[in-house]
Amino acid sequence: MGKKEQQQQRDHKNKQRVEAVLELLRKQAPLTVKQEKFCNNACVERFLKAKGDNVKKAAKHLRACLSWRESIGTEQLIADEFSAELAEGLAYVAGHDEESRPVVIFRIKQDYQKFHSQKLFTRLLVFTLEVAIGTMAKNVEQFVILFDASFFRSASSFMNLLLATMKIVAEYYPCRLYKAFIIDPPSLFSYLWKGVRPFVELSTVVMVVSSLDFEESLEYSDFSIYPRASSLRFDPSSIKSTAKIGSCSSSRFSFTVSHSFDSLKPWHLTLTDMSASKLGPTTTSSSPMGPALVSPVNARSLSFASPVARTPLKNRINVGSYGSGRGRLFSSTPLPQRVTASEPIKISHPRTPRPSFLQSPALFFKKECHINRTDKSQESFLPFLKLYRRPYDEMMYRSKMRPPLGGLVSIVSSHLKHRHMSVSQRF
């Protein structure tokens, strides 16, 4: 049996399964015209693939999806309902990748959930996904989602947003998600994601990346002029400083800042006592010893110095002689015992147990696996970096909306376009 015959048999079996699913749906309740249009062969095949080619489960899942779409009102979603969200660029289709898959970017702020209900966010999510599906080519069935989590300060708030989005995509858009990237999440998100990940259905296609890892990429350096492409790190050249760059002296030390900014060590500390009262020779003295260096006595504050350091030199008493005099001064800490030269000094360091393979085999592979996973995420995110750094253009995004998703603007523009074509054909 040749490959063509095997392919024909597979196509025939898939066609039979699709017809069986549609028959079960029509037995439960008659389908409307819009539902018949939605339940095409490609849609039913995706539901079958999600349920392991089980006809009954796929029919039940598809019926639940149709009921959910009717409750949400996907046919009545228009851009005029989300005018504020579109103006700020909270959710939009940035473009298409090399395989013509639409790339959806979510830049939801943390305060959005405080002033808006969960139902409104669900409608915004569905509207954005419907726009992405409307821009797909004939042979494309999947899209890519980029979550910009840099606007979130709370890891739990972003986790709730992420889980709600992944649940909707998994249940009502099966086999549609190609990859999802979480960019710059809060610091505690990695720990929460590690515990929740085994229970998320689409966790295998979700990756966590950091935009700072691609900051010095020469291929996309031309996007640094845009506000979203700029680095979050401090750039000293962007702020005009009024302070003088040079040396600064105090009574304890001198502090010098170099004229050329150095990211590692832009300062220089000189341990030279600049005070008027010095314990040793000064710079103006003719002593060959040179300037007095800062000693442990005068380099720190007297509030943290020992009692001996706080006492003037002329009033100091021999601390080592123990007597019954009233002016005797005793140290706050016990003095160490005198050790002769013949006695060896034994220093005991705490012993660190060596890891055993039988006790914890993961210790030998944990670091390498973490590095490989990070490199894999970076390589996967690199084709979408250009779309992520591209500035948002509302008019460009609205032009991708098909009627009636685009609202009144898209309907009027499409009407004018057809009218212009008809006029040009006349002449």
Side-chain angles (χ1 to χ4, degrees):
M1 185 180 295
K3 295 182 179 180
K4 293 183 179 180
E5 296 179 356
Q6 293 179 358
Q7 187 66 27
Q8 291 178 358
Q9 289 183 359
R10 293 175 185 174
D11 296 340
H12 181 67
K13 290 181 180 179
N14 292 336
K15 188 176 181 180
Q16 290 180 349
R17 294 193 190 99
V18 170
E19 292 177 355
V21 171
L22 293 177
E23 288 180 2
L24 289 177
L25 289 177
R26 295 188 182 97
K27 287 181 181 180
Q28 296 175 1
L31 300 177
T32 62
V33 178
K34 295 181 180 180
Q35 289 178 349
E36 288 281 356
K37 185 179 180 180
F38 176 77
C39 298
N40 51 19
N41 293 338
C43 177
V44 178
E45 287 178 359
R46 287 193 298 270
F47 279 85
L48 283 170
K49 184 179 180 181
K51 295 300 178 180
D53 293 335
N54 192 317
V55 176
K56 293 183 179 180
K57 291 183 178 180
K60 183 179 179 180
H61 190 186
L62 186 54
R63 172 58 66 180
C65 180
L66 293 176
S67 302
W68 175 81
R69 291 176 65 88
E70 186 177 358
S71 63
I72 291 295
T74 54
E75 303 297 336
Q76 289 78 29
L77 291 176
I78 57 176
D80 300 337
E81 182 181 351
F82 313 101
S83 57
E85 287 80 359
L86 295 180
E88 296 181 9
L90 300 183
Y92 62 97
V93 179
H96 297 76
D97 61 354
E98 297 178 355
E99 302 296 332
S100 300
R101 288 183 288 259
V103 180
V104 182
I105 297 181
F106 289 98
R107 288 197 168 111
I108 307 296
K109 299 180 181 179
Q110 184 173 344
D111 299 336
Y112 182 82
Q113 294 178 320
K114 296 181 181 179
F115 304 102
H116 301 82
S117 61
Q118 182 66 26
K119 184 178 180 180
L120 182 59
F121 169 73
T122 303
R123 292 178 64 85
L124 176 62
L125 171 64
V126 174
F127 171 78
T128 309
L129 296 181
E130 292 295 327
V131 173
I133 293 173
T135 60
M136 289 182 179
K138 293 183 178 180
N139 299 329
V140 180
E141 295 184 353
Q142 292 181 319
F143 50 76
V144 181
I145 298 180
L146 305 181
F147 292 96
D148 190 354
S150 60
F151 298 97
F152 279 81
R153 299 177 300 274
S154 174
S156 59
S157 299
F158 178 72
M159 179 63 70
N160 295 333
L161 178 70
L162 177 65
L163 294 181
T165 305
M166 290 292 102
K167 183 178 179 181
I168 293 175
V169 174
E171 292 185 2
Y172 306 115
Y173 295 90
C175 302
R176 283 289 196 182
L177 182 62
Y178 175 67
K179 285 181 182 179
F181 296 93
I182 304 172
I183 307 167
D184 299 335
S187 57
L188 297 179
F189 174 79
S190 59
Y191 301 97
L192 297 178
W193 177 246
K194 187 176 181 180
V196 176
R197 185 172 183 174
F199 306 98
V200 180
E201 184 176 353
L202 298 176
S203 60
T204 55
V205 296
V206 179
M207 300 181 181
V208 182
V209 296
S210 175
S211 61
L212 298 180
D213 297 335
F214 307 92
E215 191 178 35
E216 298 178 356
S217 178
L218 298 178
E219 185 177 358
Y220 307 101
S221 60
D222 55 334
F223 288 95
S224 59
I225 60 176
Y226 300 118
R228 287 302 306 160
S230 60
S231 173
L232 298 178
R233 299 175 181 173
F234 173 71
D235 186 7
S237 60
S238 61
I239 300 178
K240 296 181 179 180
S241 177
T242 57
K244 294 182 179 181
I245 300 176
S247 61
C248 177
S249 61
S250 67
S251 61
R252 298 298 172 189
F253 55 86
S254 74
F255 188 81
T256 305
V257 179
S258 60
H259 291 271
S260 59
F261 282 103
D262 188 4
S263 59
L264 297 178
K265 188 178 178 182
W267 46 266
H268 178 69
L269 182 64
T270 304
L271 297 178
T272 304
D273 193 357
M274 306 299 295
S275 62
S277 61
K278 300 181 178 62
L279 298 178
T282 61
T283 55
T284 57
S285 63
S286 60
S287 175
M289 297 176 63
L293 298 178
V294 177
S295 64
V297 176
N298 63 353
R300 56 185 177 179
S301 175
L302 293 179
S303 61
F304 294 96
S306 62
V308 179
R310 291 197 296 265
T311 308
L313 289 174
K314 59 182 180 179
N315 295 332
R316 291 188 184 179
I317 307 173
N318 187 10
V319 179
S321 61
Y322 296 90
S324 59
R326 185 177 297 179
R328 303 291 181 179
L329 179 64
F330 296 93
S331 60
S332 60
T333 56
L335 296 177
Q337 298 180 358
R338 300 182 65 180
V339 181
T340 59
S342 60
E343 297 179 2
I345 300 176
K346 296 182 180 180
I347 302 175
S348 60
H349 298 281
R351 183 179 179 184
T352 303
R354 296 181 179 180
S356 175
F357 181 81
L358 299 177
Q359 294 178 357
S360 179
L363 294 176
F364 294 88
F365 310 102
K366 183 177 181 180
K367 187 175 181 181
E368 296 179 0
C369 293
H370 177 70
I371 294 176
N372 294 335
R373 185 181 301 174
T374 304
D375 295 342
K376 185 178 179 181
S377 302
Q378 294 178 1
E379 293 178 0
S380 302
F381 179 68
L382 194 58
F384 311 102
L385 179 61
K386 189 174 183 178
L387 295 175
Y388 170 71
R389 290 183 174 179
R390 179 180 296 175
Y392 171 68
D393 190 354
E394 182 181 359
M395 298 305 298
M396 185 67 67
Y397 176 46
R398 284 181 176 271
S399 63
K400 300 176 182 178
M401 302 178 186
R402 293 184 178 180
L405 292 174
L408 183 61
V409 177
S410 63
I411 295 175
V412 172
S413 61
S414 62
H415 178 70
L416 293 176
K417 182 178 180 181
H418 290 297
R419 185 177 179 181
H420 177 72
M421 291 176 61
S422 61
V423 171
S424 61
Q425 290 177 358
R426 289 181 183 177
F427 298 97

